[in-house]
Amino acid sequence: MSSLVLSILIAGFTSQAGIIVAVGAQNAFIIRQGIARAYVPQILTICIGADIVLISLGTAGMGSMVSAHPEVMKALTLVGAFVLLIYGFSAFKRVFETCVRLESRFKLRKARALALAGGASVDEHDLNDSHSGVDDGDVVDSMATQPASSLRGSASASIAGEVESSANEFQKGAQTTLKKSLVACLGFTFLNPGVYLDSLVLLGGIAASYGAGLKWSFAAGAMLCSVVWFISLGFLSSRMSKLFKNEYAWLVLDTIIGIMMIFIAAHLALR
């Protein structure tokens, strides 16, 4: 490989890095899927494949067609904003559901503490006050006739069951079906007007400046950057899953994602 080809390859790599290494909708989606360890290889395959195809089309000269039809890009921008808005509200829905579960467990622990003080045990089955209108004190009073000897075993079993149930709930809630994950990934990838402007117009224009003989070296560098970036992002996100062993971490993540998605959607709609 000559020094000229290598320099053009590096130029393609760094040009793509300047575009792709940013906190956008697609990257945020990959991070969440990686943390949840939900269909990461399939998601990365779509993202890498899409970039390779779009960069190839841009290098082949398709960017001029995109520039010649601004009305298509405007329509695509509005559709993309709508998709991001839906995903943003979905993130806030997950935040609300998590808050409800956390509040329920807080009430359960409060009632159990009162029961411990009164010599009774309270199971999660007994705590339906948020749905039936029964006060915590009524639950404790109704359980007060139970012998103290049953308290330790019942409380221990209840706590163990609560911990296991909590872990299962937020792990299941963090994951979606394969079909939904793939559809969402395709939406974030192809309904983003920026990907066409960046890959087809911008990178395609830069590649064309190197001439017919060297433009594919530039394209190869850009493609290599996409492969390295997406694999690294998926791997690092999967490693971060250990930090998300409780619902408070998911609460923060989904809140950030929801704000980000709605902000990007508003930016696209108003541009």
Side-chain angles (χ1 to χ4, degrees), residues 51-269:
D51 267 15
I52 290 176
V53 170
L54 291 172
I55 292 171
S56 298
L57 292 175
T59 305
M62 291 288 290
S64 58
M65 294 182 61
V66 175
S67 301
H69 296 85
E71 68 280 357
V72 175
M73 294 303 300
K74 180 61 176 178
L76 189 63
T77 298
L78 295 177
V79 173
F82 180 71
V83 171
L84 291 176
L85 197 63
I86 291 176
Y87 195 80
F89 282 121
S90 296
F92 283 124
K93 179 183 177 182
R94 292 192 298 267
V95 169
F96 175 76
E97 292 172 348
T98 300
C99 289
V100 170
R101 286 196 298 269
L102 291 174
E103 182 183 11
S104 176
R105 293 196 187 101
F106 175 77
K107 290 181 179 180
L108 174 62
R109 293 188 184 102
K110 178 182 177 182
R112 185 179 292 125
L114 294 173
L116 287 171
S121 63
V122 179
D123 289 330
E124 190 168 359
H125 176 72
D126 300 313
L127 190 67
N128 295 316
D129 56 309
S130 60
H131 301 287
S132 61
V134 180
D135 186 76
D136 292 342
D138 295 333
V139 175
V140 174
D141 292 339
S142 66
M143 301 296 292
T145 56
Q146 293 189 11
S149 60
S150 67
L151 175 59
R152 294 185 181 87
S154 178
S156 298
S158 180
I159 293 173
E162 181 186 343
V163 172
E164 181 179 0
S165 174
S166 175
N168 291 336
E169 280 180 2
F170 74 73
Q171 286 293 346
K172 290 179 180 178
Q175 297 181 357
T176 57
T177 64
L178 176 60
K179 181 179 179 180
K180 289 183 179 180
S181 297
L182 296 183
V183 169
C185 183
L186 290 171
F188 289 130
T189 301
F190 292 108
L191 292 180
N192 175 20
V195 73
Y196 299 102
L197 295 175
D198 293 336
S199 299
L200 297 181
V201 179
L202 180 59
L203 291 178
I206 298 175
S209 67
Y210 289 99
L214 295 173
K215 66 180 182 180
W216 289 104
S217 297
F218 179 89
M223 295 175 190
L224 179 61
C225 178
S226 292
V227 173
V228 173
W229 169 253
F230 284 125
I231 291 178
S232 300
L233 189 63
F235 174 76
L236 293 176
S237 299
S238 298
R239 299 290 293 179
M240 287 173 58
S241 62
K242 295 181 180 179
L243 302 176
F244 287 78
K245 292 298 183 182
N246 64 78
E247 288 181 296
Y248 291 101
W250 284 107
L251 184 67
V252 173
L253 178 64
D254 281 331
T255 300
I256 294 174
I257 289 177
I259 294 173
M260 182 187 305
M261 294 299 176
I262 292 179
F263 176 80
I264 297 175
H267 175 72
L268 289 176

